[in-house]
Amino acid sequence: MSDSTAEIKSRNFIEEEIDKDLAEGVYDHVITRFPPEPNGFLHIGHAKSIILNYGLAQEYNGAFHMRFDDTNPTKEKSEFAEAIQKDIHWLGAKWDETKYASDYFEQMYEYAVKLIKKGKAYVSDLTADQIREYRGTLTEPGKKDPNSDRPIEESLQIFEDMKAGKYEDGSVVLRAKIDVNSPNINMRDPIIYRVAHMNHHRQGDKWCIYPMYDFAHPIEDAIEGITHSICTLEFEDHRPLYDWVVRECEFENPPRQIEFAKLYLKNVVTGKRYIKKLVEDGIVDGWDDPRLVSIAGLRRRGYTPESLRRFVELCGVSKANSTAEYPMLEYCIREDLKTKVPRVMAVLDPVELVIDNYPEGESEELEVPNNLENESLGSRKVPFSKYLYIERSDFMEEPVKKYFRMFPGNEVRLMNAYFVTCTGCEKDENGNVIRIHGTYDPQTRGGNSNDGRKVKGTIHWVNKDTAITAPVRLYENIVDEEKGVYNENGEVNVNPNSLILMNDAKLEPSLLDVKAYDSFQFVRNGFFTVDSKDSKDKAPVFNRIVSLKSSFRLPN
Ligand code: ATP
Ligand code: MG
């Protein structure tokens, strides 16, 4: 920035900490990481963490590592690992080599041996229940594990035998020897290794002992030379243990942990295990169902990486838990798309309109700009003739107050085309309107009168002969907002009407040659994208990303 009046961007507390570390010479560079567990798809909360960590690495000309935290083989799968990488790439974060915590198992084992040798860890054969009981509570101190006096040689031997498969799951554990009376429960001789005869998605059957997260994570960070290990608030109480591990393992220039508040969205399902349940119960169409806030779901819904980055930026980084509103996310995608995508006409719930005074058999093409706010999107030709479709809700035989659209005797503008006066309608034997009639004024081509005459209503339309019919899906929150997100069993209260299928939508012909993720504004109906899973060549399926209206205003 060249002059002193240039905008000063306020720095978040993590940037302030990093600035301080660099100024004090604690580190002379910055390396951050994103450490997902490959046990599900990523969601909007993870996007925040990715954007934050990657953004910091960029800001400080540092490096960003992508590392799978795959130390718990029970739920981990390669399928998830692939989906996660795809999502992070899509968000725009770049990294060199994909790292895996499991690649450090050998080193972790060696560090555990080192701790035993230093008298800082011991093998315990207390049962899981006993360990829990001995640990005490927030108000009661812990009790000494009789195993903590076990001779070093003996612990070393048993630990080796654990590794060799001589012990059954849960029969023995390795505990760090710290302080059973610590006011911090995490420091009361935490378990750092357990026996688990499980197949690992990368290591196969090589290991039957696995390190616990609180032991593994700091070692992973330290091995990679991470400087700032940024995690969410629930790990704040684990920080003393993190520091203990890197200190006792004697890493030089060890990383430091900084916690920030998780991103929560009001009335939205974010937790991985809840999304997983919806997927497993078949309530949604996979992890990428457009109603989910998984990154894959948001992408399929039509969200862009830019819109998610904007959203994360608006949420800010803080140390205090807070909840963001879903409408803010919607605001971000509207803002992103409004000048980027063409505005086209699509009638979602069609009824026929016949222009009685338009010559039978004739047609014409109207030149329509693709986006009035962005000339570079050019224009297109839209066919018009005697037979059209309009939205069923744009006609009322007996209008209510302040209804300015089609009703007998009223003149409206057919967007970009002509003024049309409604003359009446036809109905079937059940009284349903099946056809509307009107007459047009040829002098109003393009949608403007030349005599200063004004109309109050402008409606969209699609030419009948050239229309394409395509399924269009409208979405509501998957959560029944009146009941709240979760019920007493910890399950999601599912909104039975979260998917509304418009099977007979009529679209202008420019929407035939489209490809997955192409997005459009359907005038008056919202922003829509071509579904990536269910669309076929020349047979697109559209998802509504967001409607046009919002009560959301940016706070200033
Ligand atoms: P979930 O709680 O949804 O199951 P998780 O924390 O178990 O998520 P991980 O794969 O362990 O999922 O998380 C990877 C990283 O993403 C961690 O550093 C974690 O702190 C961060 N993260 C997870 N959820 C959020 C969130 N809601 N907001 C910000 N960061 C998050
Ligand atoms: Mg986790």
Side-chain angles (χ1 to χ4, degrees):
M1 277 174 239
S2 51
D3 64 283
S4 57
T5 57
E7 176 199 359
I8 300 168
K9 205 170 157 260
S10 70
R11 300 183 70 67
N12 66 47
F13 79 96
I14 298 181
E15 291 169 317
E16 282 168 3
E17 289 293 319
I18 297 178
D19 288 346
K20 200 164 134 247
D21 285 344
L22 294 174
E24 290 173 358
V26 181
Y27 306 107
D28 60 5
H29 64 288
V30 172
I31 305 180
T32 59
R33 88 287 175 261
F34 176 67
E37 193 181 345
N39 61 353
F41 278 51
L42 300 179
H43 55 63
I44 182 89
H46 298 111
K48 175 168 185 168
S49 177
I50 294 160
I51 291 166
L52 173 65
N53 280 294
Y54 180 66
L56 289 167
Q58 279 199 307
E59 181 184 340
Y60 290 96
N61 268 320
F64 168 77
H65 289 194
M66 152 69 203
R67 178 178 73 231
F68 284 112
D69 222 323
D70 56 349
T71 54
N72 175 10
T74 33
K75 299 178 222 145
E76 293 163 3
K77 285 199 205 137
S78 304
E79 172 213 340
F80 293 136
E82 276 154 38
I84 287 171
Q85 295 186 68
K86 181 175 169 188
D87 288 348
I88 307 174
H89 271 300
W90 178 76
L91 274 176
K94 296 182 186 69
W95 64 95
D96 291 332
E97 181 197 345
T98 301
K99 319 239 182 216
Y100 292 85
S102 55
D103 288 348
Y104 311 134
F105 278 168
E106 199 67 56
Q107 290 164 80
M108 291 174 192
Y109 177 79
E110 293 303 330
Y111 281 112
V113 168
K114 180 182 180 112
L115 292 185
I116 301 173
K117 286 184 176 160
K118 286 174 75 174
K120 297 287 183 177
Y122 58 92
V123 169
S124 171
D125 53 17
L126 291 187
T127 64
D129 283 343
Q130 283 174 318
I131 289 185
R132 203 170 309 119
E133 189 199 314
Y134 276 52
R135 192 186 295 132
T137 63
L138 286 176
T139 48
E140 287 165 52
K143 253 197 316 193
K144 185 179 154 164
D145 182 337
N147 294 284
S148 60
D149 294 329
R150 192 191 289 279
I152 287 173
E153 283 312 316
E154 204 178 302
S155 277
L156 279 176
Q157 186 59 52
I158 302 174
F159 191 49
E160 201 183 312
D161 291 344
M162 283 162 67
K163 184 187 178 215
K166 296 186 188 164
Y167 286 88
E168 303 215 327
D169 290 9
S171 56
V172 278
V173 292
L174 184 70
R175 300 183 74 173
K177 192 169 179 175
I178 308 179
D179 177 8
V180 289
N181 288 312
S182 170
N184 183 339
I185 256 183
N186 298 303
M187 300 296 272
R188 294 182 192 165
D189 290 11
I191 298 173
I192 58 176
Y193 258 95
R194 64 190 168 123
V195 179
H197 292 265
M198 277 187 294
N199 186 277
H200 186 278
H201 79 124
R202 281 173 65 82
Q203 300 285 329
D205 292 326
K206 181 164 176 210
W207 295 89
C208 58
I209 54 171
Y210 288 96
M212 303 302 285
Y213 181 90
D214 280 340
F215 176 67
H217 202 84
I219 294 180
E220 295 155 26
D221 284 342
I223 290 173
E224 290 183 9
I226 301 297
T227 54
H228 298 84
S229 175
I230 297 163
C231 65
T232 44
L233 276 186
E234 70 271 27
F235 291 102
E236 194 167 20
D237 293 344
H238 298 240
R239 194 188 333 134
L241 179 51
Y242 185 102
D243 292 340
W244 184 91
V245 172
V246 291
R247 191 174 61 244
E248 293 301 340
C249 291
E250 297 170 33
F251 284 102
E252 270 170 46
N253 218 353
R256 63 173 288 210
Q257 174 181 305
I258 302 177
E259 311 85 21
F260 72 102
K262 269 194 175 182
L263 171 64
Y264 291 102
L265 271 169
K266 193 173 164 190
N267 281 331
V268 171
V269 185
T270 40
K272 221 186 272 169
R273 68 193 166 101
Y274 298 105
I275 296 183
K276 194 179 186 129
K277 181 107 182 15
L278 291 174
V279 172
E280 284 169 356
D281 292 351
I283 291 169
V284 293
D285 171 29
W287 284 90
D288 61 354
D289 187 289
R291 290 165 293 182
L292 297 175
V293 292
S294 57
I295 297 178
L298 290 165
R299 175 169 60 232
R300 192 171 157 205
R301 178 76 173 261
Y303 277 84
T304 57
E306 294 79 5
S307 65
L308 298 186
R309 288 202 290 264
R310 181 81 205 283
F311 175 71
V312 164
E313 194 182 302
L314 287 176
C315 288
V317 180
S318 128
K319 197 99 191 158
N321 276 319
S322 66
T323 306
E325 304 273 335
Y326 190 78
M328 187 157 96
L329 189 56
E330 297 187 316
Y331 164 86
C332 293
I333 187 65
R334 272 193 212 99
E335 284 296 299
D336 188 40
L337 295 183
K338 95 183 162 192
T339 56
K340 260 192 200 170
V341 302
R343 298 179 186 176
V344 296
M345 293 195 283
V347 173
L348 303 187
D349 180 18
V351 62
E352 214 181 308
L353 168 67
V354 183
I355 313 291
D356 290 312
N357 61 340
Y358 195 93
E360 184 77 52
E362 280 189 24
S363 68
E364 63 187 296
E365 280 184 324
L366 300 156
E367 188 77 24
V368 175
N370 284 329
N371 188 323
L372 286 172
E373 290 175 64
N374 180 357
E375 272 183 27
S376 72
L377 290 179
S379 63
R380 71 190 184 287
K381 290 188 161 54
V382 180
F384 183 90
S385 74
K386 185 181 181 83
Y387 301 98
L388 309 171
Y389 291 113
I390 63 167
E391 297 286 351
R392 195 164 278 283
S393 60
D394 282 341
F395 172 78
M396 281 187 104
E397 196 175 12
E398 288 166 21
V400 292
K401 252 193 191 159
K402 296 209 171 146
Y403 188 83
F404 301 123
R405 291 170 273 165
M406 282 219 143
F407 56 86
N410 192 38
E411 187 172 48
V412 299
R413 176 188 293 110
L414 293 183
M415 193 177 286
N416 303 310
Y418 293 98
F419 282 14
V420 169
T421 304
C422 180
T423 53
C425 67
E426 291 172 46
K427 292 187 203 169
D428 65 13
E429 63 268 32
N430 300 318
N432 299 315
V433 174
I434 51 168
R435 198 166 291 115
I436 298 159
H437 288 268
T439 55
Y440 83 124
D441 175 357
Q443 304 298 318
T444 55
R445 194 172 196 268
N448 298 299
S449 71
N450 52 10
D451 60 3
R453 188 163 101 246
K454 294 227 169 11
V455 287
K456 279 196 171 151
T458 298
I459 65 174
H460 62 279
W461 51 274
V462 166
N463 184 51
K464 185 178 171 188
D465 275 356
T466 51
I468 59 169
T469 305
V472 173
R473 301 154 173 168
L474 308 180
Y475 299 107
E476 299 287 337
N477 195 346
I478 187 84
V479 167
D480 185 335
E481 295 185 11
E482 282 182 11
K483 290 190 183 152
V485 183
Y486 306 109
N487 65 21
E488 60 275 16
N489 304 324
E491 288 166 351
V492 173
N493 285 315
V494 174
N495 169 10
N497 302 315
S498 59
L499 169 61
I500 300 160
L501 189 57
M502 309 301 284
N503 250 332
D504 192 34
K506 304 293 181 187
L507 322 181
E508 59 168 80
S510 69
L511 291 167
L512 188 63
D513 278 312
V514 291
K515 55 184 196 310
Y517 305 111
D518 281 352
S519 294
F520 301 89
Q521 182 180 144
F522 289 0
V523 292
R524 298 175 69 221
N525 279 319
F527 289 99
F528 291 77
T529 198
V530 178
D531 188 82
S532 55
K533 224 167 169 175
D534 301 322
S535 298
K536 304 216 160 52
D537 189 36
K538 302 224 188 296
V541 175
F542 288 89
N543 300 332
R544 177 149 77 184
I545 308 168
V546 65
S547 64
L548 296 175
K549 291 195 195 75
S550 166
S551 54
F552 178 79
R553 294 281 168 277
L554 260 195
N556 37 28

